[in-house]
Amino acid sequence: MQASVLVINCGSSSIKYALIPADDAPRLEGIAERLGSQEARLKAKDAQGEAHEGALAGADHAAALAAIFERLDGHTPVAVGHRIVHGGEHFTRASLLDDEVLAAVEQTSALAPLHNPANLAGIAAARELYPELPQVGVFDTAFHQSLPAHAYRYALPASLYRDHGIRRYGFHGTSHAFVSQRADALAGGNDHGWLTAHLGNGCSTCAVWQGQSRDTSMGLTPLEGLVMGTRSGDVDPGLHAHLHRQLGWSLDEIDAMLNQRSGLKGLSELTNDMRELEAAAERGHPGASLALEVFCYRIAKSLAALSCALPTLSGLIFTGGIGENSPRVRAKVIAALPHFGLDLEDAANQATLRGREGRIDTGLGPQLWVIPTDEEGQIAHETRQLLERQA
Ligand code: AMP
């Protein structure tokens, strides 16, 4: 396992990790969950793919990271690559996390109060435990810093942007970057215009022209845009005032409803899990069928809107748990874009599942790709690139 990078994705009560070798050697990966409680646990997969689970009672981020290092079978990484959700306008690419850079990350915390503080806790613990290792930050927002102003500005008083940074930032940048670069490699050349659809529990679309993000569906927060597992995506901006004035709901109640009780779950009154939803629709559950219809229509509508950002369309890319595994969702999205001239090959669509990469069009229209995302691999790649630039 030569020149491995340890990739860390720190949440408020969890740490996902993956030790990514420079070659094709197997990855060691796992997750420490329920940190800060007596139920804290570490679930790890070894190089043979075997699962191990152990108690970490009462462990905080630092104790969990120390336990994770012990599970690396004696491999010492060359660097730690940290996923950071929000980089504001400051970060356009991966950055070495020194004191100055960390102060800038802290300043963006107001834009991602639920995510950035957890990312910073993980970075602080990793720096303290392993001061000799370079620590690199890779930002979800960085790939979208190439958006032109007409795509990132809201039509709000300009002072809100100038004084408070209220603008569209976009998220899932690591995933959109990875799948569009992979499609460039598969299609040959990088003179391409791709529409990418990252469809997982969180969902977003992106228009990528010649390797650069030109527009995306998420905005100031990861709530804007598509219907997601439990998130509403776009609603009328007048909804908050309406719910407050007519029903007396507080801002916190409205925020929790839009983030946790909406989306596929809210529409179906059943589940946010696409597998269960498809099975229920199959059995004739009306809420599940409606949730599927709204979900797919809104993806198509978003892709059509984002096509305005591309001079030409090379093709569509599906990724994320749903994009990689649901031929039904892919077919419905494509059927809702009749004027795009897309020509789906049914057999290829049905057969491209469970981590398989493949082209699912007949060759007559724009290309249709299923590309499994690899956010950890992309973070390791960007971390290595940064170290090489600095060598
Ligand atoms: P992610 O957040 O990328 O892990 O994606 C999670 C979503 O992918 C959930 O809605 C899952 O139900 C969905 N998913 C995973 N496997 C399948 C499958 N075989 N068919 C349909 N949806 C799936």
Side-chain angles (χ1 to χ4, degrees):
M1 243 192 225
Q2 293 262 306
S4 313
V5 171
L6 179 64
V7 173
I8 300 249
N9 182 354
C10 235
S12 56
S13 64
S14 70
I15 303 178
K16 272 197 212 158
Y17 73 92
L19 185 72
I20 315 268
D23 54 20
D24 286 337
R27 297 175 179 186
L28 303 178
E29 55 194 3
I31 181 166
E33 291 174 311
R34 302 197 214 166
L35 299 179
S37 80
Q38 285 309 307
E39 288 79 49
R41 300 193 76 71
L42 176 61
K43 297 176 184 166
K45 226 167 66 179
D46 64 24
Q48 284 71 44
E50 261 183 55
H52 302 265
E53 199 171 328
L56 281 181
D60 59 5
H61 285 81
L65 263 182
I68 286 169
F69 259 76
E70 275 170 29
R71 290 235 58 103
L72 300 183
D73 292 350
H75 299 292
T76 306
V78 291
V80 184
H82 295 268
R83 176 191 180 209
I84 303 178
V85 168
H86 218 307
E89 288 189 323
H90 197 92
F91 296 101
T92 56
R93 60 181 184 177
S95 301
L96 199 62
L97 297 169
D98 55 24
D99 290 340
E100 200 181 319
V101 166
L102 281 172
V105 176
E106 247 178 279
Q107 279 180 1
T108 64
S109 284
L111 292 167
L114 299 179
H115 294 104
N116 273 27
N119 301 155
L120 283 163
I123 295 164
R127 283 181 98 202
E128 207 170 305
L129 280 167
Y130 307 102
E132 71 286 359
L133 287 182
Q135 313 274 336
V136 174
V138 178
F139 301 85
D140 268 19
T141 49
F143 182 58
H144 302 300
Q145 277 299 301
S146 47
L147 258 60
H150 63 253
Y152 73 68
R153 287 292 294 274
Y154 291 115
L156 295 170
S159 58
L160 281 176
Y161 169 62
R162 259 195 327 267
D163 302 339
H164 302 287
I166 307 288
R167 52 159 282 180
R168 308 184 61 250
Y169 289 96
F171 298 86
H172 289 147
T174 309
S175 178
H176 292 297
F178 175 79
V179 297
S180 56
Q181 284 164 17
R182 181 76 191 134
D184 281 345
L186 291 163
N190 64 356
D191 211 18
H192 290 291
W194 301 111
L195 290 174
T196 58
H198 177 105
L199 310 176
N201 242 325
C203 300
S204 67
T205 48
C206 183
V208 185
W209 173 244
Q210 293 180 334
Q212 291 203 323
S213 173
R214 306 300 292 166
D215 202 355
T216 187
S217 61
M218 284 178 165
L220 174 72
T221 73
L223 185 56
E224 187 176 330
L226 304 179
V227 173
M228 312 184 208
T230 61
R231 283 174 254 170
S232 62
D234 292 341
V235 291
D236 184 332
L239 179 69
H240 293 67
H242 179 83
L243 291 175
H244 176 65
R245 290 188 193 121
Q246 300 301 319
L247 306 180
W249 287 25
S250 70
L251 266 184
D252 282 347
E253 285 170 326
I254 298 168
D255 196 45
M257 179 272 291
L258 292 173
N259 278 291
Q260 293 152 25
R261 293 192 284 117
S262 297
L264 294 173
K265 190 172 182 189
L267 271 169
S268 68
E269 298 190 294
L270 195 65
T271 175
N272 59 316
D273 188 300
M274 182 54 79
R275 278 164 295 201
E276 287 177 34
L277 217 53
E278 288 193 33
E282 206 65 51
R283 292 194 306 270
H285 188 289
S289 302
L290 177 69
L292 261 169
E293 293 301 323
V294 177
F295 182 73
C296 295
Y297 175 68
R298 289 271 295 275
I299 296 165
K301 189 165 145 177
S302 172
L303 292 171
L306 288 193
S307 70
C308 297
L310 299 176
T312 60
L313 178 64
S314 305
L316 259 57
I317 304 167
F318 291 94
T319 193
I322 300 171
E324 293 166 28
N325 289 298
S326 176
R328 180 202 297 244
V329 166
R330 296 190 299 242
K332 281 178 93 59
V333 169
I334 288 162
L337 290 164
H339 50 296
F340 269 34
L342 306 169
D343 204 22
L344 181 68
E345 186 173 296
D346 253 344
N349 184 37
Q350 296 297 335
T352 311
L353 304 162
R354 285 183 275 282
R356 283 190 56 190
E357 175 181 272
R359 197 166 157 181
I360 57 169
D361 62 279
T362 59
L364 295 175
Q367 299 174 34
L368 297 170
W369 286 99
V370 176
I371 300 183
T373 196
D374 184 7
E375 289 171 278
E376 290 79 16
Q378 180 73 11
I379 291 172
H381 172 68
E382 292 186 27
T383 298
R384 268 193 204 98
Q385 273 186 331
L386 177 95
L387 297 181
E388 278 163 22
R389 277 200 304 274
Q390 300 207 325

